[in-house]
Amino acid sequence: MLESESALIELKDVEMEYDNGTKAIRGISLRINPGEFVFLVGPSGSGKSTIIKLLTGEVEPNAGRVRVNGFSTRNISERQIPLMRRTLGVIFQDFRLIEKKTVYDNLAFVMRAVGASAKESRKRIPYVLDLVGLEKKAYSYPDELSGGEQQRVAIARALVNNPATIIADEPTGNLDPERSLELMDLLVKINELGTTMVVVTHEKDLVDHFGKRVVTIDSGRVVNDSVGGYVGGRIHG
Amino acid sequence: MGKHNFGYFVHEGFSNMFSHGFMSFAAIGITVACLLIMGTFTLVAVNANRQLEDLERENEMLAFVEEDFSETQVLQKKLEAIPNVTSVTFISRQQAMERFVEQYPDEELFRDLDPNILRDRFSIKIGDLERISQTKAAVDAVDGIAYASAAEEIAGGFITIRNVATVVCVALIAILFIVSVFIISNTIRLTTFDRREEIAIMRMVGATNGFIRWPFVYEGFLMGFLGASIAFLLEWGLYEAVARGVSTSDALQLIDVIPFRELWVPVAGSFAGAGIFIGVGGSLSAIRKYLQV
């Protein structure tokens, strides 16, 4: 249900248990304001991926409330889920580009999916490719690009529909440290242009380098929420 | 469906069909095979049914007129008014005798018989053999008719043959149809499996289920239609070849094959309908599980 037009993510007393009995989230409350840059960190199995699934509407909480860019996922209708997802851009560790389509077509395809015309795509895609530094690779296929370039295409794809929030799930997981830093710089730049950014990672050095807000999850709970880098606890993949 | 999306969906349906060449070829091939088997079986059944109908039409009931009854024209009108009676022909006792003699040319004894030992009669043809008993009872009840004679057992035999043939035919066609939908659905499911990543990305960026589904529906439609067209042409060729074979065969001369020009419209219509149903139904069933969340 549309509750507010402002870009905002809010989890309130959220609990989530999978059908197999795994209790992934145990009473998380978290608020991300419009324009914020937040690192979500924690060990494997801590509940980070479940938080992403809750934000994208892939799973529903058993208790509590999840609000994403004005939509409450508790009582959202099936028809509204696509509308909610249009306010989000998602970046995956394994890029998930369509191998048979060129860079341009990978972007045009997601614009078309939300109802944009070919004319709108022709206008928007060069701008976004320029932003991620791939303006000369528009007609290359994914397998002709390096890992870093493929991830930048994935970022361009997340950006192309001008979402209020970008959620990046381990975006540097398949990149070397240098490319990781470049990529994170790009995400910071995008954030500075006004897009709220939620980055899930387990790379402590990157988290410390950028000095942004860090939310640490462990065993389905928020164990730390502070600004300026990782404080205490453990971060490992 | 947005107006500007229609062209896109058709284009996607076409290009998907060509870009997944082998799987599309497999799905179309299976559609052709299934339609051809179903079509051939149905056409054999239609022809057999026609033969049975012809034989049924030959089956007649005789209504014998009372000895002293002379108003045969009035009687004929009464008989014609009975439901299920399709034609009534008067046969005088003289004509009956002539036919009798014609029927048994070697029997000398019949030649000198006095026609007066026979009765005037009506030859009655009926529409629905299943109602032969009721019709016979109605004929019996007409004033002026002494009694009616009908080969009820033969009629019953025809009815049984037709009923069995119909049940077997419908059952086989239904089984073949279900098998076709299942095979094609699985074939298309393989193509969708190949594209699950594409579908997952579309869902993740907020494409509606309709937007994701339509290109698959068009693809299924095109494959079904193409399969139906090929199957129709093959069926036509096959039918003509068999019809020529039957007409030139000495042993099968009694069989009167229905000309294909009498059948092509329902055959084309059923093939197109079944092909499109199988294609679109198969696509929808294949994609359903990817559209759950």
Side-chain angles (χ1 to χ4, degrees), chain B residues 38-271:
Chain B
M38 280 195 289
T40 304
F41 201 87
T42 309
L43 288 174
V44 169
V46 165
N47 270 282
N49 202 41
R50 174 73 72 90
Q51 298 293 319
L52 280 172
E53 274 174 12
D54 289 347
L55 284 171
E56 278 178 22
R57 267 197 287 277
E58 300 300 315
N59 195 31
E60 61 180 15
M61 183 192 295
L62 289 175
F64 297 96
V65 181
E66 283 177 1
E67 297 283 357
D68 50 354
F69 204 90
S70 55
E71 292 173 33
T72 51
Q73 282 188 339
V74 176
L75 207 50
Q76 177 149 1
K77 289 223 162 54
K78 280 186 187 170
L79 292 172
E80 280 169 348
I82 293 172
N84 199 33
V85 167
T86 55
S87 77
V88 178
T89 313
F90 178 70
I91 303 167
S92 68
R93 55 190 73 186
Q94 186 62 42
Q95 286 169 319
M97 177 56 75
E98 283 164 12
R99 284 189 187 184
F100 208 60
V101 172
E102 263 175 44
Q103 226 172 338
Y104 302 99
D106 301 330
E107 297 287 343
E108 292 288 325
L109 275 174
F110 295 155
R111 288 183 186 270
D112 302 322
L113 277 178
D114 180 0
N116 286 325
I117 66 161
L118 300 176
R119 289 177 191 263
D120 288 337
R121 65 200 61 190
F122 288 96
S123 162
I124 300 171
K125 289 194 173 163
I126 62 170
D128 181 5
L129 271 190
E130 285 198 51
R131 286 157 55 203
I132 192 166
S133 298
Q134 293 99 299
T135 313
K136 180 177 174 287
V139 171
D140 271 332
V142 173
D143 274 345
I145 294 295
Y147 64 95
S149 152
E152 286 174 79
E153 281 168 18
I154 294 174
F158 278 132
I159 291 161
T160 308
I161 291 171
R162 246 171 81 164
N163 287 348
V164 169
T166 306
V167 168
V168 170
C169 184
V170 168
L172 271 173
I173 289 171
I175 291 167
L176 280 169
F177 195 77
I178 292 165
V179 169
S180 306
V181 171
F182 180 75
I183 293 172
I184 288 159
S185 159
N186 272 307
T187 312
I188 296 175
R189 190 163 289 158
L190 285 174
T191 75
T192 14
F193 182 76
D194 196 32
R195 282 144 68 182
R196 64 198 184 286
E197 192 78 329
E198 221 172 290
I199 296 170
I201 293 164
M202 284 202 267
R203 282 180 44 224
M204 196 49 73
V205 300
T208 59
N209 281 352
F211 183 89
I212 300 169
R213 197 185 287 122
W214 275 110
F216 285 94
V217 169
Y218 280 110
E219 191 180 345
F221 176 91
L222 287 169
M223 289 199 291
F225 188 73
L226 209 58
S229 306
I230 296 168
F232 175 76
L233 294 175
L234 290 175
E235 186 73 75
W236 186 3
L238 188 71
Y239 191 91
E240 292 290 2
V242 171
R244 257 197 311 277
V246 169
S247 68
T248 53
S249 158
D250 291 336
L252 301 171
Q253 258 180 355
L254 281 176
I255 298 175
D256 194 14
V257 180
I258 307 167
F260 196 73
R261 64 174 181 279
E262 276 183 36
L263 297 170
W264 79 268
V265 174
V267 170
S270 327
F271 272 38

Side-chain angles (χ1 to χ4, degrees), chain A residues 157-215:
Chain A
R157 185 181 61 194
L159 261 180
V160 79
N161 285 332
N162 202 19
T165 305
I166 286 183
I167 298 170
D169 186 8
E170 303 279 6
T172 57
N174 280 346
L175 305 178
D176 60 51
E178 203 180 332
R179 296 285 92 75
S180 296
L181 200 58
E182 276 177 24
L183 194 107
M184 211 55 87
D185 275 331
L186 181 59
L187 295 181
V188 169
K189 187 173 140 194
I190 292 165
N191 171 248
E192 284 166 1
L193 292 172
T195 308
T196 306
M197 194 70 68
V198 180
V199 179
V200 174
T201 186
H202 61 267
E203 294 190 47
K204 185 176 181 303
D205 292 344
L206 276 180
V207 174
D208 288 341
H209 178 85
F210 286 95
K212 300 284 186 183
R213 180 180 167 195
V214 183
V215 176

